[in-house]
Amino acid sequence: MQLDERKVKILQAIIRNYLETGEPVGSRTISKFTDLNLSSATIRNEMADLEELGYILQPHTSAGRIPSDKGYRLYVDTMMEERTREVEELKEMLLEKEDKMDHLLKQVAKVLAVNTNYATMITAPTYHRNKLKFIQLSRVDRNQLLAVIVVEGNVIKNNIVQVTDELDDETLLKLNILLNTHLNGLSIEEINLGMISALKQQAGSHSSIVAEVIEAVGEAIQADEDLEIYTSGANNIFKYPELADHQKASELITAFEEKRMLTQLVQENLADENSTGIQVYIGDETPIQSMKDCSVVTATYELEEGMRGTIGIIGPKRMDYDKVIGTLRQLQNQLEELYKKK
Amino acid sequence: MQLDERKVKILQAIIRNYLETGEPVGSRTISKFTDLNLSSATIRNEMADLEELGYILQPHTSAGRIPSDKGYRLYVDTMMEERTREVEELKEMLLEKEDKMDHLLKQVAKVLAVNTNYATMITAPTYHRNKLKFIQLSRVDRNQLLAVIVVEGNVIKNNIVQVTDELDDETLLKLNILLNTHLNGLSIEEINLGMISALKQQAGSHSSIVAEVIEAVGEAIQADEDLEIYTSGANNIFKYPELADHQKASELITAFEEKRMLTQLVQENLADENSTGIQVYIGDETPIQSMKDCSVVTATYELEEGMRGTIGIIGPKRMDYDKVIGTLRQLQNQLEELYKKK
DNA sequence: TGTTAGCACTCCAATCGAATGAGTGCTAAT
DNA sequence: ATTAGCACTCATTCGATTGGAGTGCTAACA
């Protein structure tokens, strides 16, 4: 059996309707809902075919049909019109030029959640080929040094280093120069043991400080590991009865709290170099077990070559894919534009 | 009518039992549960009295009794034995000496949530009389300066300052000296407009940079405002049927996400100078509307004079007050000890 | 041959009533 | 003052009933 145009139209109608109501949709509804001018009986025949083809399924005999994951997949892949929508609120917010990245990201997550009524997440952009840009050692206390490490993309890390021996200003300056001249512009692969021991030797009696600083540098560059993830709108899952039962809700909320679990979503997307940057995971397709009753849409944004972050939306399978993808597209552009302006 | 000793014992038994089961408790249960050797009928009479006195109430006629807020209050205030428990896991974790405060706090929140099965929150310690300790301006890029601001308690803030005019190293050094000599050790009240304009004047053509740095300093010192709050175990609310219905769960989860709402809990506690640092809010006593069906226990910890943070536990009214308060006490000590060791 | 009307059938969801049982309040006896 | 006993209340549970939405199938029709 083939999937002719009429079947596609009917499938589309079923999905559209189901997205709105969340209830299984019957033949009579489709008969009236579409402009095909077919009786419910005909629709029934077609629906039987569609079920056989695996695009829809019945929760139980004598119930209406709901889309299967395969049905959603077809819908997302081929049937969605590209729409451009205004995301006015977002635009305005971004124009305010929040200068603190984390504030901005929290805001984005929140606005997105409020706008879409789904749960959202966003990660800070991270460099993939992180390079060290600048190191500064300063004395803040008699026996405390502050190491400030700046990597490309102006990601800043602070580290307090305890020192036993006192350092005069001159030595500190020397250490600073030593570290900066040797390490700046290097990526994590380029800082090897040989270089480290050479540096230590040059630092003489202060080699332990150098060691600590280098360790801190390593942590700073390898920032991907504990990638910050901001989430918002977790409570939105209560708006969709199919997700809101205790068991599922609890698991989902847990997944949101344990942000580490969300990294799975992110990693995959960031690795994928060539794509419009938008990924849709329907039901079982998602890598996160507790989200198998959800759909997840992720978008990668790229502020500059190699510096990427991810935005994600988690909602019920009957999510308004059209709107979500549109919104994410907008957002990608906004973020990228914002960055250029700065 | 008076609250004699027997009534208190019965009330205590009712509460204990209710804490365990979460179900209304009847006279027969108490009759067997306690060592008073009274028949259920007698208990019934006493319970009627207790109800009249407002310590317990019936969800409906012919149901058992549950404690009222007033009953819990009496229990917490007078009837709880002080117990000391081991919190081994916590201890071990703290001994590992996490050097990043925010990591540590996240961990504490999490361990506490896992241990108690309630939702938890913790705020970073903040100075109340914040003083500037150290400023460092460094050039990271042709037209970008990095301002690192350290306030007492080693809270570090970074700020990127855009500059149009280029600065040579010497000027930068002068600016650093200028800022440090004039501002170090000052609190926010002490940095007034007069001082600012004097500084600007001394900075000459670079007055705009000074202005930006000072603004950043202001933000850094006034950190209380956007007080970081870490939460964990929000999913625990699903473990208590009385909190897990859609409406309430949704509101609670929202409150946890919107951490701003939680600050209400914190502020009050931090302000209160004299107390063991532990506060119990039962039901309507809490300042947060959406938690009116919960109890909240907060503890203040103090790392050094004036530098305080808050730990909080949010659970059902039938929370195990005894254990929770014990655990929080332990934790206060651990945190304070940890700090001294460093 | 594709479409449609009609009908029997299925099954969920809601409704109702009876039975159950935990728990109470009250009274009378101890 | 305490207790046994009894009538009463009310949430909960269970089964039976019903209504209705929706299907599948068949026969008629264009």
Side-chain angles (χ1 to χ4, degrees):
Chain A
M1 197 190 327
Q2 266 300 349
L3 195 64
D4 57 22
E5 192 178 342
R6 195 171 71 175
K7 284 191 174 52
V8 172
K9 272 195 174 166
I10 291 173
L11 176 57
Q12 194 162 1
I14 292 173
I15 296 183
R16 288 261 161 76
N17 194 283
Y18 184 67
L19 294 190
E20 270 181 35
T21 65
E23 298 291 320
V25 13
S27 52
R28 233 177 90 80
T29 314
I30 299 300
S31 166
K32 283 186 289 183
F33 194 64
T34 60
D35 49 358
L36 291 169
N37 271 342
L38 293 174
S39 80
S40 61
T42 314
I43 303 290
R44 274 203 290 285
N45 291 330
E46 295 288 50
M47 279 164 91
D49 292 351
L50 281 171
E51 181 160 8
E52 198 179 324
L53 288 166
Y55 292 104
I56 53 180
L57 39 86
Q58 269 181 307
H60 56 85
T61 13
S62 92
R65 306 302 215 286
I66 62 174
S68 68
D69 285 8
K70 185 175 170 188
Y72 282 125
R73 172 51 61 197
L74 185 72
Y75 179 71
V76 170
D77 287 346
T78 67
M79 300 186 310
M80 268 184 23
E81 308 150 23
E82 182 92 28
R83 261 186 283 170
T84 46
R85 281 166 190 271
E86 301 293 20
V87 198
E88 277 310 322
E89 197 181 348
L90 261 179
K91 215 172 203 164
E92 275 169 31
M93 191 202 67
L94 286 172
L95 286 179
E96 276 175 23
K97 270 208 199 186
E98 281 267 2
D99 58 344
K100 304 260 169 60
M101 200 49 157
D102 56 338
H103 277 190
L104 173 68
L105 294 174
K106 277 182 199 170
Q107 282 297 323
V108 171
K110 192 166 163 186
V111 174
L112 195 56
V114 172
N115 260 285
T116 59
N117 273 322
Y118 302 120
T120 63
M121 49 158 278
I122 186 166
T123 72
T126 52
Y127 252 100
H128 272 251
R129 299 174 289 286
N130 259 339
K131 284 184 180 170
L132 187 65
K133 195 164 161 187
F134 175 74
I135 297 180
Q136 171 82 52
L137 284 180
S138 334
R139 186 173 51 247
V140 285
D141 231 341
R142 173 173 270 279
N143 51 1
Q144 285 186 327
L145 286 186
L146 171 67
V148 179
I149 296 154
V150 184
V151 297
E152 262 182 52
N154 285 346
V155 179
I156 303 160
K157 296 270 168 172
N158 302 299
N159 228 298
I160 297 273
V161 181
Q162 305 288 333
V163 289
T164 47
D165 40 348
E166 286 203 21
L167 292 172
D168 56 55
D169 285 351
E170 200 182 340
T171 325
L172 200 56
L173 186 60
K174 273 187 192 156
L175 275 178
N176 267 319
I177 293 172
L178 176 72
L179 288 167
N180 275 292
T181 48
H182 286 82
L183 295 178
N184 282 7
L186 298 188
S187 71
I188 192 159
E189 293 83 12
E190 293 168 314
I191 303 179
N192 54 37
L193 269 183
M195 172 171 295
I196 293 174
S197 59
L199 273 177
K200 276 190 188 171
Q201 202 163 4
Q202 287 191 53
S205 62
H206 305 302
S207 67
S208 67
I209 295 176
V210 170
E212 275 208 62
V213 172
I214 287 179
E215 195 183 325
V217 168
E219 277 176 30
I221 296 184
Q222 209 167 26
D224 307 14
E225 300 242 323
D226 56 26
L227 181 68
E228 276 290 347
I229 297 184
Y230 305 98
T231 59
S232 185
N235 59 315
N236 280 332
I237 66 170
F238 289 103
K239 292 186 177 138
Y240 307 96
E242 64 265 49
L243 301 180
D245 87 275
H246 283 190
Q247 171 72 6
K248 285 178 195 164
S250 175
E251 281 178 19
L252 277 173
I253 297 285
T254 307
F256 267 85
E257 268 201 327
E258 292 282 336
K259 304 194 171 173
R260 206 174 322 116
M261 297 170 93
L262 296 176
T263 54
Q264 293 176 56
L265 279 178
V266 173
Q267 300 299 359
E268 198 167 324
N269 212 10
L270 286 180
D272 190 6
E273 293 272 339
N274 53 350
S275 71
T276 62
I278 294 201
Q279 285 275 348
V280 182
Y281 305 91
I282 297 162
D284 284 325
E285 295 169 12
T286 130
I288 299 180
Q289 176 58 19
S290 58
M291 293 186 180
K292 65 185 192 318
D293 294 308
C294 301
S295 278
V296 180
V297 182
T298 61
T300 309
Y301 63 92
E302 181 158 30
L303 296 191
E304 62 182 56
E305 180 68 24
M307 185 179 181
R308 297 222 208 96
T310 298
I311 319 167
I313 289 186
I314 296 101
K317 284 201 247 182
R318 62 180 176 101
M319 100 173 18
D320 187 340
Y321 295 99
D322 216 341
K323 178 179 171 191
V324 164
I325 294 181
T327 307
L328 284 180
R329 283 258 159 73
Q330 291 269 328
L331 197 50
Q332 280 179 320
N333 291 339
Q334 296 290 333
L335 279 173
E336 286 165 22
E337 251 176 54
L338 171 77
Y339 183 77
K340 274 180 211 139
K341 261 190 210 138
K342 271 182 93 167
Chain B
M1 199 186 330
Q2 266 300 351
L3 196 63
D4 57 21
E5 192 178 344
R6 195 171 72 176
K7 284 190 174 55
V8 171
K9 271 195 174 164
I10 291 173
L11 177 57
Q12 195 163 1
I14 293 173
I15 296 183
R16 287 259 162 76
N17 194 284
Y18 184 67
L19 293 189
E20 269 180 36
T21 65
E23 297 292 320
V25 13
S27 52
R28 233 178 92 79
T29 316
I30 298 301
S31 168
K32 282 186 289 183
F33 194 63
T34 61
D35 49 358
L36 292 171
N37 272 340
L38 292 174
S39 79
S40 62
T42 313
I43 303 289
R44 275 202 290 285
N45 290 330
E46 294 288 48
M47 280 164 94
D49 291 351
L50 281 170
E51 180 160 7
E52 199 180 324
L53 288 167
Y55 292 104
I56 54 180
L57 38 86
Q58 270 180 307
H60 56 85
T61 7
S62 91
R65 306 303 215 285
I66 62 175
S68 67
D69 288 8
K70 185 175 170 187
Y72 282 126
R73 173 50 62 196
L74 186 72
Y75 179 69
V76 170
D77 287 346
T78 68
M79 301 186 309
M80 267 182 28
E81 308 150 23
E82 181 93 25
R83 259 185 286 169
T84 47
R85 278 166 192 271
E86 300 292 19
V87 198
E88 275 311 322
E89 196 180 349
L90 260 179
K91 214 173 205 165
E92 275 169 32
M93 190 201 70
L94 285 171
L95 286 179
E96 275 175 25
K97 269 208 199 189
E98 283 267 1
D99 59 343
K100 305 258 171 64
M101 198 50 158
D102 55 339
H103 277 190
L104 173 67
L105 294 174
K106 278 182 198 170
Q107 283 297 324
V108 171
K110 193 167 163 184
V111 174
L112 194 56
V114 171
N115 260 285
T116 59
N117 274 322
Y118 302 119
T120 62
M121 50 158 278
I122 185 167
T123 72
T126 52
Y127 250 101
H128 272 250
R129 296 175 290 287
N130 259 338
K131 283 183 181 172
L132 189 64
K133 194 163 163 188
F134 176 75
I135 298 180
Q136 171 82 52
L137 284 180
S138 332
R139 185 172 51 245
V140 287
D141 230 342
R142 173 174 270 281
N143 50 3
Q144 285 186 330
L145 286 186
L146 171 66
V148 178
I149 296 154
V150 183
V151 296
E152 261 182 52
N154 285 347
V155 179
I156 303 161
K157 296 269 167 172
N158 302 298
N159 228 298
I160 298 274
V161 180
Q162 305 288 334
V163 288
T164 47
D165 40 349
E166 286 201 23
L167 291 172
D168 56 54
D169 285 350
E170 199 182 339
T171 324
L172 200 56
L173 187 62
K174 272 188 193 155
L175 275 178
N176 267 318
I177 292 173
L178 177 70
L179 288 169
N180 275 292
T181 49
H182 286 81
L183 295 179
N184 282 6
L186 298 188
S187 70
I188 191 160
E189 292 83 11
E190 293 167 315
I191 303 178
N192 53 37
L193 270 182
M195 171 171 297
I196 294 174
S197 60
L199 274 177
K200 277 191 188 171
Q201 202 165 4
Q202 287 190 52
S205 61
H206 305 300
S207 66
S208 67
I209 296 175
V210 170
E212 275 206 62
V213 172
I214 287 179
E215 195 181 327
V217 168
E219 278 176 31
I221 295 184
Q222 208 166 26
D224 307 16
E225 300 245 322
D226 56 25
L227 181 69
E228 276 291 347
I229 297 184
Y230 305 99
T231 59
S232 185
N235 59 313
N236 280 331
I237 66 169
F238 290 102
K239 291 183 178 143
Y240 307 95
E242 65 265 47
L243 301 180
D245 89 271
H246 282 190
Q247 173 71 8
K248 286 177 196 164
S250 174
E251 281 177 20
L252 278 173
I253 298 284
T254 307
F256 268 85
E257 269 201 326
E258 291 280 339
K259 305 192 171 171
R260 206 172 324 115
M261 297 169 94
L262 296 176
T263 53
Q264 294 176 55
L265 280 179
V266 174
Q267 301 299 359
E268 198 167 324
N269 213 9
L270 286 180
D272 190 5
E273 295 273 339
N274 54 350
S275 72
T276 62
I278 294 200
Q279 285 276 345
V280 182
Y281 305 91
I282 297 162
D284 284 326
E285 296 170 10
T286 128
I288 299 179
Q289 175 57 18
S290 59
M291 293 185 179
K292 66 185 189 318
D293 293 307
C294 301
S295 278
V296 180
V297 182
T298 61
T300 309
Y301 64 91
E302 179 157 32
L303 297 193
E304 60 181 60
E305 178 68 24
M307 186 179 180
R308 300 225 205 93
T310 298
I311 319 167
I313 289 187
I314 296 100
K317 284 201 247 181
R318 60 177 179 104
M319 127 183 338
D320 186 340
Y321 295 99
D322 217 342
K323 179 179 170 193
V324 164
I325 293 180
T327 307
L328 284 180
R329 283 258 160 72
Q330 291 268 328
L331 197 49
Q332 280 179 320
N333 291 339
Q334 296 289 333
L335 279 173
E336 286 165 21
E337 251 175 53
L338 171 77
Y339 184 77
K340 274 181 211 134
K341 263 190 207 138
K342 274 182 90 167

